[in-house]
Every structure is written in C-alpha cells, then in structure tokens.
Amino acid sequence: MDALLHPEFTSRTAEGMPFGIGGDHDGPAAMRRNGWGAIARHFEARAEPERYLDLADGRLLVTGRYRGHGKQGGAALDAAFAHLIAIEQGRIKSLEQFTDTARWHDAAGPLRAVLLDFEDGLATLRLNRPDKGNAIDENMAADLVEAATQIAERPDVRAVLISSNGPNFTVGGDLGLFAGTAREQLPNRLRRMVDSYHLAIERLTGIDAPVVAAVRGGAGGGGMGLLYAADIVVAADNARFALGYGALGLTADGGNTWFLPRMVGMRRAQELFLLNRRLTAQEALDFGLVSRLTPDDAVETEAAALAAILVTGPTRAFGAVRRMLRQSFETGLSDQLETEKDSIVAASSTNDAQEGIAAFVAKRRPQFRGD
C-alpha cells in the first residue's frame, strides 16, 4: 500500500456506498482502514478496468466494472465504475471514485444497521449506527433479529462477539424516532420495533454458542438487553450505564425487568429504575453487570481473545449450561437437580465429552470440535 499511495494521498469515494464506505479518506491509513479495507471486510470484489483515457489536466480516467459478491449472503455485485486518478512521483496522489451505489447495496445483503461476519466458528455482530449512538430504531431491530436468526441457523458458530462502531455501545432506543412520531402512531410503531428486538434477544440467549460483549462508551435503555444476552461482558474502564426510562415517562424493554434484578439484586434494580441512577464502569463491575474492565483501547482486543478461547470449547455443553443457569432462578432444587442429571447424561454421549475425558486421562489439552 505504501508503495502504491502517495504520503499525501486523498480519496473521495461515491456517497451512498453501504457500510459508511463513501466519503473522503485522507491519507493512506484512512483509505486502508475505511475505504478499501471496509470494502474487503464486506465484499469479495475486484475492479476490472475496460478503458483508460489520459485527460488534459494530467489525470487518468479509468472506466470498468466491479465484480464479485457480498459476504453477508453472497448476493452478486456487478457495478460500473469510473476512477479519476492523479499520479505524482510514481504513486497515486488522489482518487475519485464514481459507481452505481444501488448495486453495491443490493450486493451488501439484508443487513444495514448491523454488520455480521462469520470466520472460523466466530460470529461477530457489530452495531453500525455510530452517528446515532447506535440507537435502536426499526431498521436496527429488524437487522438484529435477522442477524440472530442467521447465527442460530449455523451449526458451525461456536462463539459470538457483540461489539459496536463509534464511541458508544448503544444509547438504547432512538429518541429521535419517538419524538418524530405522531402520538397516535407511536404505540404501534414501538410494538413492532420491540417485538423484533425481543425476538433477537431470545435467539441470542437460546443458542449453544457462548456470547461475549465488548462495551465502550455508553450503554443504556433497551440496549442493555444485548449485555444480558452475553455470558461475558468486557467493558472499558470509562464506560457508563443507565436505564433512563423514568426520565422519559416510559417503563422498560430489552428484558431489563427480568435480567437486572437477577444480576444486581432487587434493591439495586429498583434504585436504578426509579432514581434513574447512572453507573460508572467500576460500579457496573461491583454490581455484577459486567465481567471485567479494561482500558478503552483494549476492550475489543480483550473481548476477541475471550471469544477465541470459547470458540475452541465444547459448544453443546456450553449451550446446556447457558440454559440451566438462566432457568435456575425459576426452578426448584429438585427440578434443577433432575435437569442437571439429564443434561450431563446427554452430554456424556457427545464427541466432545469423549475427547475431554480422553485428553484428561492422557494429560493433554482437549481438541473439542463442538459436537
């Protein structure tokens, strides 16, 4: 890249490209990260030039087609492009890209407000409305349930990492959406949005694969439901947490009234709801809302490292444990003991159990396959 791009390189990518790829990219690093790098994260694409034309101002006009497919669903990409390129000292100093952005959107797949990647058993779900604080609106709720469904349908997923783009994890519901909706229309609009969001939480809590969440900035309102769906929450030491419903005259969503008393205790949950108390990262750790704290710039690295460990674990056994832990608050001791008996008996017949037992006897590290 350094050999190709001038140190003062600038680029203008077509406005309207999906995943925030469009716009200005100043410098090789920005182009690597947010331009070509972003394209590579979401598409298998190549530029096929067809014509070259030297312009009077010294720039080169290249026309052709982008071909390939989107990584979220594999929809085909076939879009015309025109590149205006300025070269200085043998390297590209500026690039202006024009293309049919609608075709890029068609190839991008069904998700817009979240990003979803699958690689080596790990599903990475990333909230992607950074300019709105990753506030949950109808589109994000629909994308979350679609992403959760895709994760649940893939038997090769052995761990999930939930993170976000931008400075905040999620501020919760989109207050701009609420304020911009007529009073008589708001109840039905909220009902549809919350229905989708709650289904996403149910599916994320119901899968076998353990879930890790990486939290930077603010996490609030119904968005806390994504933390409850996680088994391990890594938060920045300057993160902050709040419910906020009382200030809006609203009640709760995202599973807050179910999960929060179980995690922090009834008295603390009552205080958080009724006094609209905000928690620092350290308070959230002390309350049991998060699992561990790290510096802000290490959150995703730490969370990804934990997810990488979980990917190598006994996935079916993890799934059974996830479900038993959550049901334990409603189940009597005798019933829970019966469930544990049935669960461990079923787990003993899996390939992973046989591998784990053999590895223990042989004093070696087990090689679990998730079955």
Side-chain angles (χ1 to χ4, degrees), residues 193-318:
M193 185 181 80
V194 174
D195 273 348
S196 295
Y197 181 48
H198 283 180
L199 181 55
I201 292 173
E202 281 192 273
R203 289 188 173 162
L204 289 171
T205 56
I207 59 176
D208 286 341
V211 179
V212 179
V215 180
R216 291 180 294 107
M224 301 275 277
L226 295 173
L227 306 188
Y228 306 142
D231 304 282
I232 299 174
V233 178
V234 181
D237 53 15
N238 58 358
R240 53 205 182 276
F241 305 81
L243 295 176
Y245 297 105
L248 300 171
L250 296 174
T251 54
D253 65 339
N256 272 296
T257 58
W258 194 90
F259 285 101
L260 199 61
R262 289 162 172 77
M263 288 190 171
V264 307
M266 180 60 76
R267 287 300 181 211
R268 284 174 167 170
Q270 289 167 322
E271 182 180 8
L272 291 173
F273 271 109
L274 300 179
L275 297 181
N276 198 28
R277 179 179 171 183
R278 298 184 180 185
L279 296 181
T280 66
Q282 185 60 52
E283 288 173 325
L285 179 66
D286 294 342
F287 277 29
L289 190 58
V290 304
S291 309
R292 59 181 69 182
L293 303 180
T294 71
D296 183 85
D297 59 359
V299 171
E300 293 209 18
T301 301
E302 176 76 6
L306 292 171
I309 293 172
L310 294 172
V311 162
T312 65
T315 312
R316 303 289 86 79
F318 281 165

Side-chain angles (χ1 to χ4, degrees), residues 3 8 39 71 79 84-85 145 183 185 257 307 316 318 324 331 357 360 364 367:
E8 299 177 2
I39 289 174
K71 290 184 175 180
L84 282 172
I85 301 172
V145 73
R183 178 174 179 173
Q185 296 174 350
T257 58
R316 303 289 86 79
F318 281 165
M324 284 191 292
T331 306
I357 294 167
F360 178 82
R364 60 174 175 80
Q367 301 296 314

Side-chain angles (χ1 to χ4, degrees), residues 42-44 68-77 107-109:
H42 303 293
F43 299 91
E44 292 284 351
H69 63 271
K71 290 184 175 180
Q72 293 182 11
L77 170 67

